[in-house]
Amino acid sequence: MRAASALYAAAGSLVLSALVAAPAGSAAGSASPETLGTAVAAQRAAAAGIRFTACPAAENLPSPATCGTVSVPMDYARPRGKQIKLTVSRVRATGKSAGHRTARQGALVFNPGGPGGNGMYFPLVGMMPEWKRIGAAYDLVGYAPRGVGRSAPLSCQDPKQFAKAPTQAPTHPSASYKMERIAQAKSYARGCAKNPDLRHYTSLNNARDLDVLRAALGEKKLTFMGASYGTYIGAVYARLFPSHVRRMVFDSAVNPDPSQIWYANNLEQSAAFERRWADFRAWVARHDDTYHLGRTPEEVLESYEKVRAEVAHEPAGGKVGPGQLQAAYLQAGYYDDYWAMRAVALSEYLKGDPKPLIDQAAPSPRAAAENENGTAVYTAVECNDASWPTDFRRWDHDNSRLARVAPFETWDNAWMNLPCAYWSAPQQEPLDVRTAPGALPPTLILAAERDAATPYTGARELNRRVAGSVLVTERGAGTHGIAGGPNACVNGHMDAYLLEGRVPGRRAADCAPHAAPAPLGAGSRGLAAKPRVIG
């Protein structure tokens, strides 16, 4: 760990910082040990700063990106105890936009969501046309949250076991299959419990880490963009550190209602994926002259189910079974720029060529460790953040009922979260992120109306809870993560806010949807989707 030149500041200054960091409404004498510990860690980070140098080869980040680390306490109640290093990346503000000099406004810190997403790549988006004005005014800063990548990495399972394929993914599982998955969930929870620091991987600590990162960057106030789960980190941060907020963009917002964290949110997500899966099938049906998968969404579903049955009987390439097929087509629920690729893969498979499907759906052994790490962090944070039902009969009842109308993602989502039913680490009460009028400067919420991963109800709930927030909605669209994407209206609102502090005059504004994807024929089957800002 990096030694700090001043571990503690003068007592009066320390107390002042702690009170500034205290949640709104806290009494001066009631600051928690974690609040005081965050103040200590932030002062230490401000004194040490971050030494940015060429990025290690492991990060795969070319110049002009540079990398460094910031030390944070594993346990904020013990700020002098065990420290971990979070990796940080940065591209400095270019100061040039459309041939004009642009004044630097500070650092823009980004979290891509997850939990378990790695934001180290983010500074490179400044090279994209949609981000050039923002990259001119801000140092673009990404980081790997605690547990992710090289930031005190968390693991719950041997990556080789995690990446086993092919697998099944029944939409209406049998009793014996359920018992098998219960055993797997218990085993996975036990694997996570081997880490003695497991209980410290939480959303509250992610927000505290963000304040330490702010201090290490030399920023008096934070300018932040969070996508997906990153919006929840931002909302928690705004509740804990309202006086430290400069500007915040919430892109594709998680529903922050404490009663939704996290069991209910996952049920709503499964229902929303069914709607988006229908959107994809309707688009394929409109382009039946290209793909020949059916002229109606129902006929396209029949084509998908035919492929599903065939790979269950004989996995494509020996690696793509129903589980891998479902995971690949789940991505089409997140991003419509996957639609043409996935349609080509189905079409070619049914014509006798499995290669496009294998290329798109087979798991990559090289990605096994990264995927296992991301899943471990996801599981730890969600299981630690809130209480979960511990009786599988509740899970069985809720998911069986939902799967009757939303079979596409329901049970796969349940199995992903089931370790939380058998969790041994302490589980917290979710923080109510509601803020008082005037506690924050205006903040900006961006949401697509048909987003499946973070259903639109979450954006509206965040808008209600965060006083002074303004909601910009991309109507009739469902891409997850819309900042800096193909919608010029959305990007115009983002630029006006980040560059000038301007928000729409009312609490809401609408944008028309971006253009639907163009169909691509078999010759484009190797085309990769464009890079995404969201994790």
Side-chain angles (χ1 to χ4, degrees):
M1 88 186 59
R2 179 184 300 149
S5 59
L7 183 60
Y8 291 103
S13 176
L14 176 58
V15 172
L16 176 61
S17 295
L19 295 181
V20 169
S26 296
S30 64
S32 70
E34 290 82 5
T35 298
L36 294 168
T38 306
V40 170
Q43 287 185 332
R44 185 168 54 204
I50 300 175
R51 182 172 176 265
F52 285 100
T53 59
C55 292
E59 297 295 348
N60 196 29
L61 294 174
S63 177
T66 56
C67 294
T69 62
V70 57
S71 292
V72 301
M74 176 60 80
D75 180 358
Y76 277 94
R78 296 172 176 81
R80 287 181 288 180
K82 179 179 179 179
Q83 305 290 303
I84 59 176
K85 290 184 177 181
L86 307 185
T87 56
V88 185
S89 58
R90 182 181 71 181
V91 169
R92 283 194 174 277
T94 64
K96 297 178 181 178
S97 176
H100 302 288
R101 296 295 299 175
T102 300
R104 179 183 178 276
Q105 296 195 36
L108 170 61
V109 179
F110 176 76
N111 182 287
N118 190 333
M120 289 291 286
Y121 67 91
F122 172 69
L124 299 182
V125 303
M127 296 184 288
M128 298 168 63
E130 297 86 351
W131 291 89
K132 281 191 176 297
R133 294 183 66 201
I134 294 171
Y138 288 94
D139 297 345
L140 301 180
V141 176
Y143 71 108
R146 61 172 56 205
V148 177
R150 296 186 300 118
S151 297
L154 183 64
S155 177
C156 295
Q157 186 181 36
D158 182 345
K160 293 179 182 177
Q161 291 295 112
F162 178 82
K164 285 177 68 175
T167 57
Q168 298 299 314
T171 53
H172 301 286
S174 65
S176 62
Y177 185 82
K178 291 173 184 176
M179 294 303 295
E180 180 182 336
R181 295 307 300 254
I182 289 171
Q184 291 177 14
K186 290 179 177 178
S187 175
Y188 192 81
R190 288 195 298 270
C192 295
K194 292 178 182 178
N195 188 313
D197 298 313
L198 181 65
R199 66 189 180 95
H200 299 300
Y201 294 88
T202 66
S203 294
L204 283 168
N205 280 341
N206 282 335
R208 293 169 183 135
D209 290 346
L210 190 57
D211 199 54
V212 178
L213 174 56
R214 170 202 60 78
L217 291 167
E219 300 290 321
K220 293 187 180 299
K221 296 196 175 189
L222 177 70
T223 303
F224 175 76
M225 176 180 289
S228 193
Y229 165 73
T231 66
Y232 187 62
I233 295 176
V236 172
Y237 183 95
R239 179 67 178 85
L240 292 178
F241 311 104
S243 65
H244 295 182
V245 174
R246 178 179 178 266
R247 290 174 191 161
M248 277 194 165
V249 178
F250 302 94
D251 182 11
S252 303
V254 164
N255 189 330
D257 184 336
S259 68
Q260 294 289 121
I261 307 297
W262 288 105
Y263 182 75
N265 264 339
N266 277 285
L267 290 171
E268 284 199 8
Q269 184 186 68
S270 295
F273 266 112
E274 195 68 27
R275 294 190 293 271
R276 196 60 180 155
W277 173 232
D279 290 347
F280 166 67
R281 291 185 286 113
W283 177 88
V284 175
R286 287 196 297 274
H287 298 289
D288 185 59
D289 56 342
T290 300
Y291 301 117
H292 308 293
L293 292 168
R295 294 184 178 276
T296 67
E298 293 74 22
E299 290 178 354
V300 174
L301 180 60
E302 290 175 7
S303 294
Y304 175 82
E305 291 296 342
K306 182 177 181 181
V307 174
R308 178 186 172 90
E310 291 190 12
V311 298
H313 176 68
E314 183 178 350
K319 290 292 185 181
V320 178
Q324 291 64 49
L325 182 75
Q326 197 274 343
Y329 284 82
L330 182 65
Q331 290 177 316
Y334 279 89
Y335 312 123
D336 58 19
D337 43 15
Y338 278 96
W339 286 5
M341 298 168 61
R342 296 297 186 259
V344 165
L346 282 184
S347 180
E348 291 300 296
Y349 182 90
L350 291 173
K351 292 176 185 176
D353 180 6
K355 188 175 185 304
L357 183 63
I358 296 168
D359 289 345
Q360 294 180 37
S364 168
R366 290 179 297 179
E370 180 182 354
N371 290 339
E372 192 280 327
N373 169 239
T375 300
V377 176
Y378 168 90
T379 305
V381 171
E382 293 219 350
C383 295
N384 284 336
D385 269 2
S387 297
W388 291 72
T390 57
D391 188 339
F392 181 72
R393 287 175 295 184
R394 167 79 181 279
W395 294 71
D396 198 10
H397 173 270
D398 292 346
N399 287 280
S400 293
R401 182 174 61 179
L402 181 58
R404 287 196 286 270
V405 294
F408 177 67
E409 165 67 355
T410 294
W411 275 109
D412 190 63
N413 204 359
W415 305 135
M416 176 78 173
N417 294 291
L418 189 58
C420 297
Y422 311 107
W423 203 244
S424 61
Q427 292 174 317
Q428 303 177 340
E429 284 291 323
L431 183 71
D432 189 341
V433 302
R434 197 183 309 272
T435 62
L440 297 173
T443 57
L444 186 68
I445 303 170
L446 307 176
E449 189 176 25
R450 297 185 66 79
D451 185 357
T454 52
Y456 185 62
T457 52
R460 292 188 299 192
E461 184 64 27
L462 183 65
N463 189 211
R464 284 191 289 267
R465 287 178 180 266
V466 177
S469 63
V470 176
L471 172 59
V472 173
T473 302
E474 185 181 17
R475 296 291 176 187
T479 289
H480 183 56
I482 60 176
N487 194 307
C489 171
V490 171
N491 294 338
H493 286 297
M494 180 176 70
D495 283 3
Y497 176 68
L498 286 175
L499 298 176
E500 304 170 35
R502 289 192 293 112
V503 293
R506 299 185 299 276
R507 291 203 67 183
D510 289 348
C511 290
H514 65 274
L520 299 171
S524 303
R525 67 191 185 189
L527 181 70
K530 71 178 183 178
R532 280 278 163 198
V533 173
I534 194 166

